[in-house]
Amino acid sequence: MDSILNSPFFNASLLAGLLFLFMGFMIRKYPPRSMKTWYGYRTFSSTINENTWHEANQYAAFLSRRMAYILIPFGLLMALLFKTQTDLFLYLTVTPVIICALLLTGLTEWHLLQEFDEDGERKIKKE
């Protein structure tokens, strides 16, 4: 067990990428039905009403899958480049996870701002 934990294949990018992929597909296939469920993308702007809740979860699930497609290959690449877990290895595998988590939140919030007004009503798009 100790050799698995110390393996370069046991890294933050790879594990978080798998988690992002799982979350993205699960929320896509089984979207949270209401804001009272234990899972889902839950922020102030996503819980204004049911429309913002469903839009935020749909968009966050989409982004989560896309970020997993970046994190998983990056984690595998780092595992192939490093023979052992070093400090540099730790920084290189944790940093993309932090960036992706921040991007997931920021981009989803930005999407909600573009789609809804402050009362949670869908904006009318000019074409």
Side-chain angles (χ1 to χ4, degrees):
M1 179 71 165
D2 191 42
S3 63
I4 293 171
L5 295 177
N6 291 326
S7 167
F9 285 95
F10 192 78
N11 67 60
S13 290
L14 188 55
L15 295 174
L18 292 171
L19 182 64
F20 274 48
L21 189 64
F22 176 75
M23 287 182 340
F25 279 116
M26 288 304 293
I27 291 176
R28 179 178 172 209
K29 186 161 176 76
Y30 305 105
R33 303 233 185 269
S34 75
M35 290 179 265
K36 294 180 181 176
T37 56
W38 62 271
Y39 68 98
Y41 180 83
R42 187 173 280 110
T43 62
F44 176 76
S45 58
S46 71
T47 57
I48 293 173
N49 60 37
E50 289 292 322
N51 291 332
T52 58
W53 174 253
H54 292 298
E55 183 71 26
N57 278 283
Q58 179 184 16
Y59 194 75
F62 168 77
L63 285 179
S64 182
R65 293 189 312 273
R66 296 301 176 264
M67 290 179 184
Y69 299 148
I70 295 167
L71 289 172
I72 292 171
F74 185 78
L76 289 172
L77 178 66
M78 290 297 105
L80 294 173
L81 291 177
F82 286 84
K83 302 287 186 234
T84 61
Q85 293 181 0
T86 63
D87 286 345
L88 179 61
F89 174 81
L90 175 71
Y91 298 138
L92 287 175
T93 59
V94 170
T95 301
V97 175
I98 295 168
I99 291 169
C100 283
L102 292 172
L103 275 173
L104 177 71
T105 304
L107 291 173
T108 303
E109 293 299 309
W110 178 257
H111 177 74
L112 290 175
L113 282 172
Q114 301 305 306
E115 294 291 319
F116 297 95
D117 63 16
E118 61 274 353
D119 297 324
E121 299 297 322
R122 196 171 285 276
K123 291 181 180 177
I124 299 171
K125 296 192 179 195
K126 298 177 186 175
E127 294 185 31

